[in-house]
Amino acid sequence: MNDADGDLACLALREPQRLMSGTLSQWESVIRQAARADVLGRLAVMLDSLGLTDAVPPAPRLHLAVARQVVFAQHQELRREMALILAAVKDLDIPVVFLKGAAYVAADLPAARGRLCSDIDILVPKLALPEVEGRLMLHGWMSTHHEAYDQRYYREWMHELPPMQHVRRGTVIDVHHGLLPETVRRPPNAALLLSAARAVPGLPGAQVLDAPDMVLHSMTHLFHNEEFSHGLRDLSDVDLLLRHHGDDVDFWASLLRRASTLHLQRNLYYGLFAVREAFGTPVPAQVWAEAASAAPTPVLRALMQGLWRRGLRGPHAMAALPWTSTATLLLYLRAHWLRMPPLLLARHLSIKAWKRATVKPVAV
């Protein structure tokens, strides 16, 4: 196994067979990097599916087994929580669309296999937000942000309520009413997403986004995010979704049309660029050519490609390229620039900086 590139978590996901030639020292680096990127469970499942687990040396095999069990237990909990969320809002007669990791698990997609989830994301109609929030509060979920400015930030400008955490079980729900904040220049029409969502067999009341919308949401969440500790994991999600749906001859044309309808052509271009480079994801040449027509100018394209190459690598220090910290800072600023108009952004960042500077450490 040649680890000259340094990003062993990405290498392991792209070509897990190559791990079989690794030394014990290289296996240790793979385990460390994959665990840091939250993809160790995914790697364990991949090796199982290829029949390679028994060929893994005993020490790393134990780490893989533990990661597999953690994912299994979390998915059981996730299914229970999804059922409880649906029960809490069942009388409202509204669509409840699960997003990201919860959607992959609910729909039993390949992207769910080995996937860890930090919270549960749902999409509901904006007009139903007060009722949804009220029902969830009655069932034990409470807002995690209590300061007046934080509440205003979420409720006036963002595409979601403040995160809600269950008082006993500790599970966290993000209740969305859109894909992007309402302060972006051209937010996608959430009503189009809700109208195309499809039911989940075996989970009454649950829906997930249609295949093109699910891919575009995964890309949009990734390329509008301000931090990338899960960047490699989320990029791997996109790779697995494209490989799964790409066998449908109608999928690629639908993906291009939907990106245009939702004003997400640039995110589609970045997404296809990133997965092709990181994982060699098969994308039809005509699709890539059409998606690339939404690329920025050559100078900005070269800059952004360099930033994505650094920001979307595994987050472990061993995987970092030169200028990675600068790249992640620029991507952080870019995410906020896309999120808000200049005056509102300046005010928001000033308030955040002031709050950070005035927070007193807690004595222990």
Side-chain angles (χ1 to χ4, degrees):
M1 179 177 63
N2 180 10
D3 58 352
D5 176 67
D7 192 355
L8 297 184
C10 183
L11 171 65
L13 295 176
R14 184 175 68 240
E15 301 178 72
Q17 301 92 331
R18 290 179 58 185
L19 298 177
M20 298 304 103
S21 64
T23 66
L24 199 57
S25 176
Q26 288 173 323
W27 267 109
E28 180 182 5
S29 297
V30 169
I31 296 296
R32 287 179 181 273
Q33 291 193 32
R36 179 71 178 81
D38 264 353
V39 296
L40 188 56
R42 177 165 286 173
L43 176 59
V45 172
M46 283 185 170
L47 293 172
D48 284 347
S49 67
L50 294 169
L52 297 174
T53 300
D54 290 343
V56 177
R61 194 191 314 153
L62 178 60
H63 285 278
L64 293 168
V66 171
R68 192 186 307 110
Q69 285 300 114
V70 169
V71 171
F72 176 77
Q74 191 191 74
H75 283 196
Q76 285 188 312
E77 179 185 9
L78 183 58
R79 292 186 181 95
R80 287 194 298 267
E81 289 297 315
M82 286 192 286
L84 291 169
I85 292 168
L86 292 169
V89 301
K90 65 180 180 179
D91 295 333
L92 298 182
D93 192 27
I94 59 166
V96 178
V97 180
F98 288 96
L99 303 172
K100 294 188 63 192
Y104 310 151
V105 173
D108 194 25
L109 294 172
R113 295 164 196 167
R115 172 63 148 80
L116 287 174
C117 306
S118 55
D119 51 27
I120 301 173
D121 296 88
I122 64 173
L123 176 69
V124 300
K126 185 177 181 180
L127 292 177
L129 283 178
E131 292 179 300
V132 170
E133 184 177 21
R135 294 300 179 91
L136 291 174
M137 291 176 68
L138 287 173
H139 285 77
W141 281 279
M142 299 296 172
S143 178
T144 59
H145 291 64
H146 304 293
E147 293 189 14
Y149 178 76
D150 291 337
Q151 288 287 325
R152 183 185 178 196
Y153 170 76
Y154 277 100
R155 295 177 187 279
E156 290 190 19
W157 302 318
M158 291 298 100
H159 55 306
E160 58 185 322
L161 294 175
M164 303 181 73
Q165 186 171 34
H166 199 275
V167 294
R168 288 190 293 106
R169 298 190 301 274
T171 53
V172 176
I173 304 176
D174 283 339
V175 182
H176 297 254
H177 60 84
L179 250 62
L180 289 173
E182 298 191 335
T183 49
V184 302
R185 289 158 184 82
R186 298 181 78 181
N189 186 344
L192 296 176
L193 303 171
L194 291 167
S195 64
R198 52 190 178 86
V200 178
L203 194 57
Q207 298 182 13
V208 296
L209 295 175
D210 193 29
D213 293 346
M214 185 180 291
V215 170
L216 289 169
H217 174 252
S218 295
M219 290 178 173
T220 300
H221 179 271
L222 179 58
F223 293 106
H224 279 255
N225 209 353
E226 72 262 21
E227 66 90 24
F228 295 92
S229 60
H230 292 122
L232 180 64
R233 182 201 68 184
D234 292 351
L235 188 63
S236 175
D237 290 345
V238 176
D239 168 64
L240 293 172
L241 290 172
L242 289 173
R243 290 178 187 273
H244 176 67
H245 295 299
D247 291 336
D248 181 349
V249 294
D250 297 324
F251 167 75
W252 294 104
S254 298
L255 182 65
L256 290 168
R257 286 196 303 270
R258 202 61 166 167
S260 177
T261 299
L262 297 171
H263 313 301
L264 298 174
Q265 299 99 316
R266 182 66 59 84
N267 288 324
L268 176 60
Y269 161 71
Y270 284 143
L272 294 181
F273 160 76
V275 293
R276 290 170 82 239
E277 181 160 288
F279 300 111
T281 311
V283 177
Q286 184 176 351
V287 173
W288 170 241
E290 188 167 341
S293 66
T297 61
V299 173
L300 183 56
R301 181 188 315 173
L303 171 63
M304 292 307 303
Q305 288 178 351
L307 294 180
W308 296 131
R309 287 189 181 105
R310 287 158 176 79
L312 298 178
R313 289 170 71 85
H316 197 284
M318 290 189 291
L321 291 173
W323 302 100
T324 290
S325 58
T326 301
T328 53
L329 173 60
L330 291 174
L331 290 172
Y332 173 86
L333 295 174
R334 171 187 178 271
H336 280 85
W337 176 258
L338 293 176
R339 186 175 297 174
M340 293 179 170
L343 291 178
L344 182 59
L345 174 61
R347 179 176 180 271
H348 174 66
L349 292 180
S350 297
I351 291 173
K352 287 186 67 174
W354 178 81
K355 289 171 65 177
R356 192 178 297 116
T358 56
V359 169
K360 297 180 180 179
V362 179
V364 295

